[in-house]
Amino acid sequence: MAAYKANRFYASDDWNTQVNFTLNGNFMGSDVITTDNSSISITVTDPDAQADPGDNTGKIEIFYGIPESGYNATILVSNTGSNSISFAHITSLGSRYYYYIKITQVDRDIIWTSPIWIFSNAIILPIVLTQFTGTQKKDGIKLNWTTAQEINADYFDIEHSMDGNQFEKTGMVYSRYQNTSSPTSYEFSDMVPKKGINFYRLKQFDMDGHFRYSAIIPVHFNQTVVKAIKINPNPVSNNLNMTITVAENAEIIFKIYDAEGRQVKRITAYVNAGKNMVSTDISGLANRNYIVVLIINNKRIAETKFVKQ
């Protein structure tokens, strides 16, 4: 899903051919503002090529065009009999270009990549972002990003969306150095994400108040329904008292197993978001160790142990 959102995909007649297409270090699907000429690199690999010569790369063609020019893209350069090509395209400042790749295998299977768009600009960007990722960490989402350079950088607004279109500010992080040519890493934790796919982007401000948005990244958040479970007292005599803290209203099935894995008791309880008390009579159980397994929608989501005495 992250690859689709970032346009990092390609169409291929061969099911397992891999294409690595970059421009100035940016992957296919990128929209780049750069002060440099276009340094294009393509590498094609196919794990079947050694056993099947037809899966070798026959030709690589680099196409380029000018957006909204009214003209079709044309071949910039090509080669044959090689699985890689590197080429530097001299660009005009103030101009926009796009590039994409056509790969033809020996057996005539064809691969088309998605494009990379560039704007060749003489203005040096205050912030050059090289990485922006997000991962779930317990009950929140942790965002990490790295800048390659910062010139009069001020701060980052972190913006959040549930549909990838309508964004709201969810936090802010100040630039560490304002001016640096060294890689600088940042992090931010969103402790109130929503269940499902959350979208994030950075709004990067410089000291003059100008700003630029980063690419949008999706992060899947699998909310843990049961946040805590505690048995008190433990060991237990006749009544098993469990304090359950949950993130949302739910129906929970509690299955009690003995040390041999036999189910000896089952109860169902309806709990509300927050802290709940669930009790059951276990006076008829033998004095020994037991495991309580919590199940929601046929999924095992938590467990705990107790001793009956």
Side-chain angles (χ1 to χ4, degrees), residues 140-154:
I141 289 177
K142 185 178 181 181
L143 303 175
N144 294 90
W145 64 96
T146 303
T147 60
Q149 71 173 33
E150 297 181 21
I151 302 173
N152 293 326
D154 194 359

Side-chain angles (χ1 to χ4, degrees), residues 139-246:
D139 293 332
I141 289 177
K142 185 178 181 181
L143 303 175
N144 294 90
W145 64 96
T146 303
T147 60
Q149 71 173 33
E150 297 181 21
I151 302 173
N152 293 326
D154 194 359
Y155 62 93
F156 303 86
D157 273 351
I158 297 91
E159 297 189 343
H160 172 264
S161 170
M162 287 305 296
D163 61 7
N165 294 309
Q166 300 296 321
F167 283 83
E168 294 183 354
K169 179 179 176 180
T170 190
M172 182 180 72
V173 174
Y174 282 100
S175 168
R176 288 186 178 179
Y177 304 111
Q178 284 76 54
N179 290 280
T180 180
S181 58
S182 300
T184 307
S185 297
Y186 296 88
E187 64 179 46
F188 174 83
S189 294
D190 181 5
M191 300 311 298
V192 288
K194 303 294 192 300
K195 187 176 182 179
I197 297 178
N198 295 253
F199 296 92
Y200 295 92
R201 70 183 181 188
L202 300 175
K203 191 174 183 181
Q204 308 158 83
F205 285 87
D206 62 23
M207 301 296 288
D208 297 325
H210 298 105
F211 64 86
R212 181 170 182 258
Y213 288 107
S214 72
I216 298 170
I217 62 168
V219 185
H220 186 265
F221 181 68
N222 185 20
Q223 187 177 38
T224 302
V225 178
V226 176
K227 295 182 174 295
I229 176 171
K230 184 178 181 181
I231 295 176
N232 188 35
N234 192 6
V236 183
S237 53
N238 293 320
N239 289 311
L240 175 64
N241 299 314
M242 297 175 287
T243 303
I244 314 293
T245 303
V246 296

